[in-house]
mmCIF file of all heavy atoms in Angstrom:
data_model
loop_
_atom_site.group_PDB
_atom_site.id
_atom_site.type_symbol
_atom_site.label_atom_id
_atom_site.label_comp_id
_atom_site.label_asym_id
_atom_site.label_seq_id
_atom_site.Cartn_x
_atom_site.Cartn_y
_atom_site.Cartn_z
ATOM 1 N N VAL A 22 11.927 -2.027 -5.347
ATOM 2 C CA VAL A 22 11.737 -3.503 -5.243
ATOM 3 C C VAL A 22 10.473 -3.951 -5.882
ATOM 4 O O VAL A 22 10.295 -5.171 -6.102
ATOM 5 C CB VAL A 22 11.883 -4.037 -3.764
ATOM 6 C CG1 VAL A 22 13.293 -3.722 -3.232
ATOM 7 C CG2 VAL A 22 10.806 -3.539 -2.913
ATOM 8 N N PHE A 23 9.545 -3.031 -6.123
ATOM 9 C CA PHE A 23 8.240 -3.368 -6.768
ATOM 10 C C PHE A 23 8.249 -2.982 -8.221
ATOM 11 O O PHE A 23 8.911 -2.039 -8.578
ATOM 12 C CB PHE A 23 7.096 -2.562 -6.054
ATOM 13 C CG PHE A 23 6.458 -3.326 -4.979
ATOM 14 C CD1 PHE A 23 6.945 -3.280 -3.666
ATOM 15 C CD2 PHE A 23 5.281 -4.073 -5.204
ATOM 16 C CE1 PHE A 23 6.321 -3.915 -2.656
ATOM 17 C CE2 PHE A 23 4.636 -4.695 -4.167
ATOM 18 C CZ PHE A 23 5.125 -4.658 -2.932
ATOM 19 N N ILE A 24 7.401 -3.634 -8.991
ATOM 20 C CA ILE A 24 7.107 -3.177 -10.320
ATOM 21 C C ILE A 24 6.213 -1.876 -10.092
ATOM 22 O O ILE A 24 5.599 -1.690 -9.059
ATOM 23 C CB ILE A 24 6.340 -4.186 -11.193
ATOM 24 C CG1 ILE A 24 4.980 -4.569 -10.528
ATOM 25 C CG2 ILE A 24 7.181 -5.449 -11.470
ATOM 26 C CD1 ILE A 24 4.084 -5.499 -11.386
ATOM 27 N N PRO A 25 6.242 -0.968 -11.130
ATOM 28 C CA PRO A 25 5.550 0.271 -10.925
ATOM 29 C C PRO A 25 4.005 0.076 -10.681
ATOM 30 O O PRO A 25 3.405 0.914 -9.981
ATOM 31 C CB PRO A 25 5.706 1.003 -12.293
ATOM 32 C CG PRO A 25 6.987 0.477 -12.799
ATOM 33 C CD PRO A 25 6.996 -1.001 -12.387
ATOM 34 N N GLN A 26 3.457 -0.939 -11.109
ATOM 35 C CA GLN A 26 1.973 -1.207 -10.966
ATOM 36 C C GLN A 26 1.661 -2.003 -9.693
ATOM 37 O O GLN A 26 0.581 -2.510 -9.554
ATOM 38 C CB GLN A 26 1.429 -1.951 -12.148
ATOM 39 C CG GLN A 26 1.703 -1.289 -13.476
ATOM 40 C CD GLN A 26 3.088 -1.611 -14.076
ATOM 41 O OE1 GLN A 26 3.900 -2.293 -13.507
ATOM 42 N NE2 GLN A 26 3.319 -1.082 -15.305
ATOM 43 N N GLY A 27 2.706 -2.187 -8.849
ATOM 44 C CA GLY A 27 2.510 -3.067 -7.681
ATOM 45 C C GLY A 27 1.425 -2.599 -6.742
ATOM 46 O O GLY A 27 1.017 -1.420 -6.707
ATOM 47 N N ILE A 28 0.849 -3.580 -6.008
ATOM 48 C CA ILE A 28 -0.180 -3.290 -4.995
ATOM 49 C C ILE A 28 0.221 -3.866 -3.680
ATOM 50 O O ILE A 28 0.964 -4.944 -3.649
ATOM 51 C CB ILE A 28 -1.534 -3.749 -5.414
ATOM 52 C CG1 ILE A 28 -1.588 -5.261 -5.576
ATOM 53 C CG2 ILE A 28 -2.060 -3.109 -6.683
ATOM 54 C CD1 ILE A 28 -3.055 -5.798 -5.777
ATOM 55 N N ILE A 29 -0.191 -3.218 -2.627
ATOM 56 C CA ILE A 29 0.008 -3.664 -1.281
ATOM 57 C C ILE A 29 -1.309 -3.670 -0.570
ATOM 58 O O ILE A 29 -2.048 -2.722 -0.615
ATOM 59 C CB ILE A 29 1.098 -2.774 -0.544
ATOM 60 C CG1 ILE A 29 2.390 -2.794 -1.299
ATOM 61 C CG2 ILE A 29 1.223 -3.216 0.880
ATOM 62 C CD1 ILE A 29 3.447 -1.841 -0.833
ATOM 63 N N ILE A 30 -1.633 -4.749 0.095
ATOM 64 C CA ILE A 30 -2.915 -4.966 0.739
ATOM 65 C C ILE A 30 -2.738 -5.236 2.219
ATOM 66 O O ILE A 30 -2.032 -6.166 2.594
ATOM 67 C CB ILE A 30 -3.682 -6.123 0.042
ATOM 68 C CG1 ILE A 30 -3.813 -5.920 -1.439
ATOM 69 C CG2 ILE A 30 -5.007 -6.378 0.669
ATOM 70 C CD1 ILE A 30 -4.166 -7.163 -2.211
ATOM 71 N N SER A 31 -3.430 -4.407 2.993
ATOM 72 C CA SER A 31 -3.444 -4.634 4.502
ATOM 73 C C SER A 31 -4.797 -5.271 4.825
ATOM 74 O O SER A 31 -5.852 -4.784 4.428
ATOM 75 C CB SER A 31 -3.311 -3.276 5.149
ATOM 76 O OG SER A 31 -3.668 -3.394 6.527
ATOM 77 N N HIS A 32 -4.713 -6.320 5.514
ATOM 78 C CA HIS A 32 -5.936 -6.986 6.007
ATOM 79 C C HIS A 32 -5.825 -7.068 7.524
ATOM 80 O O HIS A 32 -5.844 -8.159 8.096
ATOM 81 C CB HIS A 32 -6.186 -8.352 5.385
ATOM 82 C CG HIS A 32 -7.618 -8.685 5.323
ATOM 83 N ND1 HIS A 32 -8.408 -8.790 6.460
ATOM 84 C CD2 HIS A 32 -8.398 -8.925 4.321
ATOM 85 C CE1 HIS A 32 -9.599 -9.139 6.136
ATOM 86 N NE2 HIS A 32 -9.675 -9.207 4.818
ATOM 87 N N VAL A 33 -5.641 -5.894 8.130
ATOM 88 C CA VAL A 33 -5.513 -5.859 9.583
ATOM 89 C C VAL A 33 -6.831 -5.710 10.247
ATOM 90 O O VAL A 33 -7.024 -6.212 11.384
ATOM 91 C CB VAL A 33 -4.489 -4.713 9.937
ATOM 92 C CG1 VAL A 33 -4.418 -4.477 11.437
ATOM 93 C CG2 VAL A 33 -3.122 -4.963 9.406
ATOM 94 N N GLY A 34 -7.730 -4.988 9.660
ATOM 95 C CA GLY A 34 -9.097 -4.807 10.245
ATOM 96 C C GLY A 34 -10.054 -5.728 9.571
ATOM 97 O O GLY A 34 -9.722 -6.751 9.026
ATOM 98 N N GLY A 35 -11.319 -5.336 9.560
ATOM 99 C CA GLY A 35 -12.367 -6.172 9.049
ATOM 100 C C GLY A 35 -12.384 -6.147 7.565
ATOM 101 O O GLY A 35 -12.750 -7.157 6.911
ATOM 102 N N GLU A 36 -11.952 -5.045 6.950
ATOM 103 C CA GLU A 36 -12.006 -4.914 5.488
ATOM 104 C C GLU A 36 -10.557 -4.769 4.927
ATOM 105 O O GLU A 36 -9.787 -4.014 5.556
ATOM 106 C CB GLU A 36 -12.746 -3.609 5.074
ATOM 107 C CG GLU A 36 -14.210 -3.758 5.315
ATOM 108 C CD GLU A 36 -14.954 -4.643 4.269
ATOM 109 O OE1 GLU A 36 -14.608 -4.597 3.091
ATOM 110 O OE2 GLU A 36 -15.889 -5.319 4.695
ATOM 111 N N PRO A 37 -10.207 -5.334 3.845
ATOM 112 C CA PRO A 37 -8.854 -5.168 3.260
ATOM 113 C C PRO A 37 -8.773 -3.689 2.783
ATOM 114 O O PRO A 37 -9.729 -3.106 2.247
ATOM 115 C CB PRO A 37 -8.753 -6.164 2.143
ATOM 116 C CG PRO A 37 -10.228 -6.519 1.835
ATOM 117 C CD PRO A 37 -11.012 -6.289 3.043
ATOM 118 N N VAL A 38 -7.520 -3.174 2.881
ATOM 119 C CA VAL A 38 -7.241 -1.832 2.365
ATOM 120 C C VAL A 38 -6.180 -2.048 1.227
ATOM 121 O O VAL A 38 -5.126 -2.664 1.501
ATOM 122 C CB VAL A 38 -6.654 -0.873 3.441
ATOM 123 C CG1 VAL A 38 -6.318 0.458 2.811
ATOM 124 C CG2 VAL A 38 -7.681 -0.792 4.539
ATOM 125 N N ILE A 39 -6.477 -1.584 0.023
ATOM 126 C CA ILE A 39 -5.647 -1.805 -1.091
ATOM 127 C C ILE A 39 -4.933 -0.515 -1.466
ATOM 128 O O ILE A 39 -5.581 0.498 -1.687
ATOM 129 C CB ILE A 39 -6.398 -2.414 -2.268
ATOM 130 C CG1 ILE A 39 -7.082 -3.687 -1.852
ATOM 131 C CG2 ILE A 39 -5.536 -2.619 -3.480
ATOM 132 C CD1 ILE A 39 -8.139 -4.229 -2.805
ATOM 133 N N TYR A 40 -3.570 -0.595 -1.520
ATOM 134 C CA TYR A 40 -2.793 0.617 -1.820
ATOM 135 C C TYR A 40 -2.015 0.461 -3.095
ATOM 136 O O TYR A 40 -1.537 -0.613 -3.387
ATOM 137 C CB TYR A 40 -1.722 0.803 -0.711
ATOM 138 C CG TYR A 40 -2.149 0.967 0.681
ATOM 139 C CD1 TYR A 40 -2.253 -0.149 1.516
ATOM 140 C CD2 TYR A 40 -2.481 2.184 1.232
ATOM 141 C CE1 TYR A 40 -2.642 -0.006 2.834
ATOM 142 C CE2 TYR A 40 -2.878 2.328 2.444
ATOM 143 C CZ TYR A 40 -2.941 1.252 3.328
ATOM 144 O OH TYR A 40 -3.323 1.388 4.601
ATOM 145 N N ASP A 41 -1.876 1.557 -3.873
ATOM 146 C CA ASP A 41 -0.835 1.545 -4.879
ATOM 147 C C ASP A 41 0.464 1.949 -4.162
ATOM 148 O O ASP A 41 0.407 2.175 -2.938
ATOM 149 C CB ASP A 41 -1.213 2.488 -5.998
ATOM 150 C CG ASP A 41 -1.293 3.934 -5.668
ATOM 151 O OD1 ASP A 41 -0.875 4.345 -4.512
ATOM 152 O OD2 ASP A 41 -1.779 4.742 -6.503
ATOM 153 N N LEU A 42 1.554 2.032 -4.821
ATOM 154 C CA LEU A 42 2.813 2.207 -4.152
ATOM 155 C C LEU A 42 2.852 3.607 -3.420
ATOM 156 O O LEU A 42 3.268 3.655 -2.210
ATOM 157 C CB LEU A 42 3.966 2.109 -5.102
ATOM 158 C CG LEU A 42 4.145 0.727 -5.710
ATOM 159 C CD1 LEU A 42 5.394 0.640 -6.605
ATOM 160 C CD2 LEU A 42 4.184 -0.408 -4.646
ATOM 161 N N ASP A 43 2.398 4.672 -4.091
ATOM 162 C CA ASP A 43 2.433 5.953 -3.447
ATOM 163 C C ASP A 43 1.523 6.055 -2.242
ATOM 164 O O ASP A 43 1.800 6.644 -1.184
ATOM 165 C CB ASP A 43 2.092 7.116 -4.440
ATOM 166 C CG ASP A 43 3.255 7.435 -5.361
ATOM 167 O OD1 ASP A 43 4.435 7.088 -5.076
ATOM 168 O OD2 ASP A 43 3.009 7.943 -6.480
ATOM 169 N N GLY A 44 0.349 5.439 -2.417
ATOM 170 C CA GLY A 44 -0.665 5.421 -1.353
ATOM 171 C C GLY A 44 -0.150 4.713 -0.150
ATOM 172 O O GLY A 44 -0.556 5.015 1.029
ATOM 173 N N PHE A 45 0.747 3.744 -0.266
ATOM 174 C CA PHE A 45 1.376 3.033 0.801
ATOM 175 C C PHE A 45 2.543 3.756 1.401
ATOM 176 O O PHE A 45 2.712 3.922 2.646
ATOM 177 C CB PHE A 45 1.814 1.629 0.322
ATOM 178 C CG PHE A 45 2.434 0.824 1.429
ATOM 179 C CD1 PHE A 45 1.634 0.224 2.376
ATOM 180 C CD2 PHE A 45 3.830 0.633 1.486
ATOM 181 C CE1 PHE A 45 2.274 -0.572 3.359
ATOM 182 C CE2 PHE A 45 4.413 -0.119 2.442
ATOM 183 C CZ PHE A 45 3.574 -0.682 3.420
ATOM 184 N N VAL A 46 3.427 4.315 0.544
ATOM 185 C CA VAL A 46 4.677 4.855 0.968
ATOM 186 C C VAL A 46 4.470 6.245 1.668
ATOM 187 O O VAL A 46 5.107 6.432 2.734
ATOM 188 C CB VAL A 46 5.674 5.007 -0.241
ATOM 189 C CG1 VAL A 46 6.839 5.878 0.102
ATOM 190 C CG2 VAL A 46 6.101 3.648 -0.678
ATOM 191 N N VAL A 47 3.687 7.099 1.111
ATOM 192 C CA VAL A 47 3.687 8.471 1.610
ATOM 193 C C VAL A 47 3.261 8.621 3.106
ATOM 194 O O VAL A 47 3.895 9.244 3.893
ATOM 195 C CB VAL A 47 2.726 9.366 0.675
ATOM 196 C CG1 VAL A 47 2.474 10.745 1.293
ATOM 197 C CG2 VAL A 47 3.412 9.454 -0.654
ATOM 198 N N PRO A 48 2.148 7.962 3.535
ATOM 199 C CA PRO A 48 1.754 8.074 4.950
ATOM 200 C C PRO A 48 2.809 7.357 5.882
ATOM 201 O O PRO A 48 3.033 7.832 6.977
ATOM 202 C CB PRO A 48 0.413 7.396 5.045
ATOM 203 C CG PRO A 48 0.233 6.590 3.823
ATOM 204 C CD PRO A 48 1.103 7.195 2.809
ATOM 205 N N ARG A 49 3.455 6.317 5.441
ATOM 206 C CA ARG A 49 4.417 5.672 6.230
ATOM 207 C C ARG A 49 5.679 6.515 6.425
ATOM 208 O O ARG A 49 6.252 6.580 7.458
ATOM 209 C CB ARG A 49 4.743 4.264 5.701
ATOM 210 C CG ARG A 49 3.685 3.309 6.134
ATOM 211 C CD ARG A 49 3.486 2.130 5.246
ATOM 212 N NE ARG A 49 2.248 1.448 5.709
ATOM 213 C CZ ARG A 49 0.999 1.770 5.451
ATOM 214 N NH1 ARG A 49 0.759 2.818 4.681
ATOM 215 N NH2 ARG A 49 -0.023 1.067 5.895
ATOM 216 N N GLU A 50 6.079 7.160 5.334
ATOM 217 C CA GLU A 50 7.229 8.001 5.417
ATOM 218 C C GLU A 50 6.960 9.139 6.476
ATOM 219 O O GLU A 50 7.830 9.530 7.246
ATOM 220 C CB GLU A 50 7.579 8.667 4.101
ATOM 221 C CG GLU A 50 8.767 9.562 4.146
ATOM 222 C CD GLU A 50 9.213 10.001 2.735
ATOM 223 O OE1 GLU A 50 8.366 10.194 1.876
ATOM 224 O OE2 GLU A 50 10.433 10.112 2.570
ATOM 225 N N LYS A 51 5.747 9.632 6.459
ATOM 226 C CA LYS A 51 5.407 10.737 7.389
ATOM 227 C C LYS A 51 5.534 10.244 8.815
ATOM 228 O O LYS A 51 6.161 10.917 9.644
ATOM 229 C CB LYS A 51 3.998 11.286 7.111
ATOM 230 C CG LYS A 51 3.538 12.402 8.021
ATOM 231 C CD LYS A 51 2.170 12.853 7.661
ATOM 232 C CE LYS A 51 1.658 13.995 8.530
ATOM 233 N NZ LYS A 51 2.214 14.222 9.856
#
């Protein structure tokens, strides 16, 4: 559903965390 260069940003804590697709998907799959 994303373009290959997509980014996902979590702003749940004090600092935003910026993920590329693999950086986002791999830990969630685990």
